[in-house]
Amino acid sequence: MKDRHRNIDHACQDAVGSLLTVAPIGGLVRQLAIPASVGFFFNTLLNVVDTYFAGMLSTDALAALSLSFPVFFSLIAMGSGFSTGATALIGQALGAGRRSEAARVASQGLMLSAAATAVVTAAGYAVTPALFRLLGASDAYLAICLAYIRVILLGSGFVFTVHMLNGMLTAQGDTRTFRDFLIAAAILNVGLDAWFLFGGLGVPAMGVAGIALATIVLQGGGVIALSLRVRRTGLLARGQGVRWRPHWRTLRAIIGQGVPASLSMMSVALGIFIVTWFVSRYGQDVVAAYGVATRIEQIAHLPAIGLNVAAMILAAQNGGARKYDRVRAAVRTCLGYGAMVAGAGTVALFAAARPMMSAFSSDPAVIEIGVRYLQIAALIQYAYVILMVNTSTLQGLKLPIFALWIGLYRHIAAPLGLFWLVTQVLSQGLMGIWWSLFGISWSAAIIAAAVARRRIRQIETASAARNAGESC
């Protein structure tokens, strides 16, 4: 009976995968993007709840979460980067009908996650004190930052494994399982944050370390839930091509795809460090405001994230099937939907900036700084859609290096130059930093659109020439 149910699951999953290369693009984009967006909404809600409870402790605790966020994001970047690489490879293999290759990539991806856990935990413990001091933390403030991030580091293996398991499901067109996990996690996080933060029922009050522990407990639950679903797809079933010993060619392929994606996301974390370093010179209130405002802004990013996932899945599977007209159609459709939802997000973010900031801080200075940031950030929302959709399409086509180069430009090179110019030469202060982010984001979006269009055309031309050669 179990084998019968497993066979049904395999057949259903194969049917979903095959639809990605033949079904109407508009329906597929909605089917993939909406669950992903809903899931990331609840993931953002989880982060917002963490911020809310930290604010109940003190402004120092709130600032500590803001200061720790780049380190936590670095963990997510590595896990998500390798997951993105595996998703592209699995999707391409499935689109080309090579299921055993997809299974081998999936199993080797899990092994790579385990290796990354050991490296990141050790490195994180070694470097975080110096990083926090560089960003201005000292004494009790430094102790709060370290109490939070050290718990996160100890649970980094759960973070990496959850992302890798989700990558396996995403490559097969399943964005619902991760959505369901994130919804459950967001709901449970409210109770766990309060319990671990303030103590009770035999658990001591742990302060901000309790907020971190709640996150790790939920990630551990995610490993169990997603593992069960991956098992039901049969991708890791014995006899499907799974390899639990190092297969160096596959590992090199995952690393080749994953490292640029990880470094691209790492550039986001470095960019946050750069912004935080510049804004920290204007006081702790500014750091706290920036941390709260960026978490609020993440809600407006959700449509772009969902469309980003849809674009990558459709590019991977249709690229594997050499259906490049469908890849271009997926880009156009994602950008069209993105224009509608980003426009609504821009209006909502601009209009609701003050009440949203007021929900997380009662400090008038923090609120005012955050409102000014959010009203400028509202004007950048469609740029994020353009940038994410085009970059993810290239990643799905196994061209991840562009994401790294545009990330280095957008998050490191341009901010360092512009922030120094507007603050030190032009004396524009915080508003100069906020408007610099506007200019950098839109220029990166325009570059991404141009590069993606050219690279898709080049790949299609090369594929046509190869097919002509094979027919001869």
Side-chain angles (χ1 to χ4, degrees), residues 53 189-199:
F53 277 104
N189 188 54
V190 177
L192 289 177
D193 269 358
W195 186 18
F196 295 160
L197 184 68
F198 300 113

Side-chain angles (χ1 to χ4, degrees), residues 51-52 62 101 156 174 183 185 200 227 257 410 440 449 463:
T51 303
Y52 174 79
L62 194 62
E101 179 184 329
S156 60
D174 179 1
I183 291 172
S227 293
Q257 293 293 313
R410 178 187 167 203
I440 291 167
S463 178

Side-chain angles (χ1 to χ4, degrees), residues 335-401:
L335 292 177
Y337 283 136
M340 292 186 288
V341 293
T346 295
V347 173
L349 193 61
F350 192 93
R354 189 170 300 279
M356 286 191 291
M357 284 298 302
S358 300
F360 297 101
S361 178
S362 58
D363 188 326
V366 171
I367 293 170
E368 196 59 39
I369 294 164
V371 168
R372 288 198 295 270
Y373 171 84
L374 287 173
Q375 289 180 339
I376 294 174
L379 305 176
I380 311 176
Q381 299 311 302
Y382 190 54
Y384 294 141
V385 173
I386 297 171
L387 181 61
M388 287 181 165
V389 166
N390 284 284
T391 301
S392 294
T393 297
L394 292 175
Q395 288 175 321
L397 294 171
K398 300 196 294 186
L399 297 169
I401 196 66

Side-chain angles (χ1 to χ4, degrees), residues 183-461:
I183 291 172
I187 294 170
L188 292 172
N189 188 54
V190 177
L192 289 177
D193 269 358
W195 186 18
F196 295 160
L197 184 68
F198 300 113
L201 301 176
V203 174
M206 290 182 275
V208 292
I211 297 175
L213 181 59
T215 298
I216 295 307
V217 168
L218 293 169
Q219 292 292 314
V223 170
I224 296 171
L226 270 64
S227 293
L228 292 173
R229 181 57 189 152
V230 169
R231 183 174 180 270
R232 291 179 63 190
T233 69
L235 187 62
L236 294 177
R238 185 178 300 174
Q240 290 291 313
V242 171
R243 289 284 297 268
W244 294 116
R245 296 188 304 275
H247 187 269
W248 299 113
R249 181 170 59 83
T250 303
L251 287 172
R252 283 195 297 271
I254 297 173
I255 291 169
Q257 293 293 313
V259 167
S262 291
L263 291 177
S264 173
M265 290 195 68
M266 288 282 191
S267 73
V268 178
L270 289 173
I272 296 171
F273 272 119
I274 290 169
V275 177
T276 302
W277 187 81
F278 274 94
V279 303
S280 65
R281 301 166 70 186
Y282 297 93
Q284 199 164 310
D285 286 346
V286 177
V287 175
Y290 176 66
V292 173
T294 51
R295 281 166 170 77
I296 293 171
E297 187 186 8
Q298 286 174 10
I299 298 172
H301 288 176
L302 297 176
I305 293 173
L307 293 167
N308 157 54
V309 172
M312 185 174 67
I313 299 170
L314 292 171
Q317 289 246 0
N318 288 283
R322 299 185 182 181
K323 295 184 177 181
Y324 298 106
D325 57 326
R326 289 177 59 82
V327 174
R328 288 196 300 273
V331 173
R332 290 194 302 271
T333 303
C334 288
L335 292 177
Y337 283 136
M340 292 186 288
V341 293
T346 295
V347 173
L349 193 61
F350 192 93
R354 189 170 300 279
M356 286 191 291
M357 284 298 302
S358 300
F360 297 101
S361 178
S362 58
D363 188 326
V366 171
I367 293 170
E368 196 59 39
I369 294 164
V371 168
R372 288 198 295 270
Y373 171 84
L374 287 173
Q375 289 180 339
I376 294 174
L379 305 176
I380 311 176
Q381 299 311 302
Y382 190 54
Y384 294 141
V385 173
I386 297 171
L387 181 61
M388 287 181 165
V389 166
N390 284 284
T391 301
S392 294
T393 297
L394 292 175
Q395 288 175 321
L397 294 171
K398 300 196 294 186
L399 297 169
I401 196 66
F402 174 74
L404 173 57
W405 291 122
I406 200 68
L408 292 174
Y409 162 75
R410 178 187 167 203
H411 300 296
I412 299 175
L416 282 173
L418 271 178
F419 291 172
W420 176 82
L421 177 66
V422 298
T423 59
Q424 302 300 308
V425 178
L426 302 178
S427 301
Q428 295 300 304
L430 278 177
M431 292 301 290
I433 294 175
W434 303 155
W435 281 110
S436 293
L437 291 172
F438 172 90
I440 291 167
S441 298
W442 272 105
S443 62
I446 293 168
I447 293 168
V451 170
R453 180 179 299 179
R454 187 181 75 250
R455 294 295 284 140
I456 293 170
R457 187 166 56 247
Q458 290 172 345
I459 294 169
E460 186 173 22
T461 301

Side-chain angles (χ1 to χ4, degrees), residues 111-127:
M111 293 179 61
L112 190 60
S113 294
T117 298
V119 173
V120 166
T121 301
Y125 259 75
V127 305

